[in-house]
Amino acid sequence: MQPVDLLLLKPMQPSVMDALARSFTLHRADTAPDRDRFYAEIGPRIRGMATGAQAPVDADLIARLPNLEIVASFGVGYDTIDTKAAAARGIVVTNTPDVLTDEVADLALGLLLATVRQIPQADRYLRAGHWPKSPYQLTATLRGRTVGILGLGRIGRAIARRLEGFGVSIAYHGRRPQDDVGYAYHSSLLGLAHAADVLMVVAPGGPETNGLVGAEVLAALGPDGILINVARGSVIDEPALVAALQAGTIHSAGLDVFAREPHVPADLAALDHVVLLPHVGSASVHTRETMGRLVVDNLSHWFGGNGPLTPVPETPWAGQA
C-alpha cells in the first residue's frame, strides 16, 4: 500500500522525524522555497499533518489541504490551530496531554522558588565577585503565602499537589468549582487575585483568555504579589505587566512564556527582579521524546484504522466516542 502523504510544518527532534519518515511520505513545508507552489503541488495529496505550537494552522492553510484528515500537534496547548475550521471539515486534531504534566509542574515549582528566593540573581551576584564584599540581600519567602492557580486542569492539579508539600494555602479559579478538590474556589479571577499573593497561570491560550491577566488583576495581587506563567504568553497583558513591575504594583514575576515568542519585550528583559525562561516547561529529553512518540502514535493509529489516541474535544472524533 502506498504510504500516506504527511505534511510537517516545522522540524521536530530527529527521532520523531525519523519515525515519521519511516511510516509516511514526508513533505516539509519549512524547507520549501516557494510555499504557494509547494501547497499547490503537494496540498491535494496531504492526508495528515504534524505540527507544533509555533506553527499556526489557520483556516487558509486547512483550505489548501482538501484531503486532510488529521492534525497531530506536538504539545498540550493547541490554541494556534483553528479547531472550528478543522471540525467543519471533519478533521480530527490531536495533542499530547498527560505525558508532559509532571515536567511542566516541576518547572512551575522551580520557577516559583527561583522567583521568590531570587536564585538566578544570587547566582549572578556570586559569579560577579560581590560575595566577599557583602552578603546577598534578604529575599521574599513562600512562608505564609496563598498561591492562586488560574486553571486547575491536569497541570494545575499537579502543581497544587506539589505545593501541598510546601505548607502554603491553595486557591483556584476556573470555569466552575471542582467537587473532588479541597482548595478554595473563587468564581472570578479578580477575587482570586485579591485572595492570593502568588498567581500561578496555567490557563489555556486562545481568544477567551487573551489578556485575561491585566492591570486590574495585577493591582489586586498587590505589592507583595508574585506572578508565575507557565501557560501561554497571550494570557498576560504584557504592557500592563511591565508597567506593574516597574511601578512596584507587584513584587516580581517568573515567566516561561511570552506573547510574541521568541521575542521578549526589552523593557521586561531589563528588569532584574524577574526570572525569564525561554519556554522550557516540557523541555527535557525524556518528556520531549515521549511527546514526539505520541504524535507519531496518533498518526499511526489513525491511518491504521484504529482512531486517534488523544483527540481534542473540539473536533469530531471526541463527539463520536
Side-chain angles (χ1 to χ4, degrees), residues 116-176:
V116 173
R117 296 302 312 277
Q118 299 183 7
I119 293 173
Q121 295 92 328
D123 176 85
R124 293 196 295 269
Y125 185 88
L126 181 149
R127 292 174 187 273
H130 297 316
W131 190 16
K133 303 169 188 175
S134 62
Y136 188 72
Q137 65 186 10
L138 301 181
T139 70
T141 180
L142 274 183
R143 309 283 70 75
R145 285 186 179 270
T146 295
V147 179
I149 300 175
L150 173 57
L152 200 69
R154 293 181 180 93
I155 295 173
R157 283 173 172 248
I159 291 170
R161 288 193 298 270
R162 285 157 172 77
L163 284 168
E164 289 174 3
F166 286 86
V168 298
S169 298
I170 302 169
Y172 71 101
H173 167 68
R175 292 187 182 92
R176 62 190 66 86

Side-chain angles (χ1 to χ4, degrees), residues 198-228:
V198 174
L199 182 60
M200 177 75 70
V201 179
V202 207
E208 291 183 0
T209 60
N210 189 51
L212 187 62
V213 179
E216 189 177 12
V217 171
L218 295 169
L221 193 57
D224 292 323
I226 293 170
L227 177 71
I228 305 294

Side-chain angles (χ1 to χ4, degrees), residues 27-39 41-42 64:
H27 302 277
R28 294 185 56 177
D30 63 299
T31 60
D34 184 334
R35 291 286 181 95
D36 288 334
R37 182 176 179 181
F38 172 80
Y39 286 123
E41 293 178 353
I42 303 299
R64 291 177 177 228

Side-chain angles (χ1 to χ4, degrees), residues 141-302:
T141 180
L142 274 183
R143 309 283 70 75
R145 285 186 179 270
T146 295
V147 179
I149 300 175
L150 173 57
L152 200 69
R154 293 181 180 93
I155 295 173
R157 283 173 172 248
I159 291 170
R161 288 193 298 270
R162 285 157 172 77
L163 284 168
E164 289 174 3
F166 286 86
V168 298
S169 298
I170 302 169
Y172 71 101
H173 167 68
R175 292 187 182 92
R176 62 190 66 86
Q178 301 185 29
D179 296 335
D180 59 341
V181 298
Y183 314 128
Y185 174 73
H186 291 267
S187 59
S188 72
L189 174 56
L190 194 60
L192 179 66
H194 277 296
D197 41 30
V198 174
L199 182 60
M200 177 75 70
V201 179
V202 207
E208 291 183 0
T209 60
N210 189 51
L212 187 62
V213 179
E216 189 177 12
V217 171
L218 295 169
L221 193 57
D224 292 323
I226 293 170
L227 177 71
I228 305 294
N229 189 7
V230 293
R232 283 285 187 264
S234 60
V235 181
I236 310 294
D237 180 338
E238 274 187 356
L241 174 59
V242 171
L245 289 164
Q246 290 173 334
T249 303
I250 65 171
H251 181 274
S252 55
L255 309 172
D256 184 43
V257 290
F258 305 90
R260 295 180 59 250
E261 296 177 5
H263 305 289
V264 178
D267 287 345
L268 185 58
L271 298 172
D272 192 52
H273 60 305
V274 299
V275 178
L276 308 177
L277 302 179
H279 201 156
V280 293
S282 64
S284 71
V285 172
H286 166 82
T287 295
R288 288 290 174 86
E289 290 290 336
T290 306
M291 292 165 63
R293 284 197 299 272
L294 186 50
V295 169
V296 176
D297 290 346
N298 266 302
L299 291 164
S300 297
H301 272 247
W302 176 262

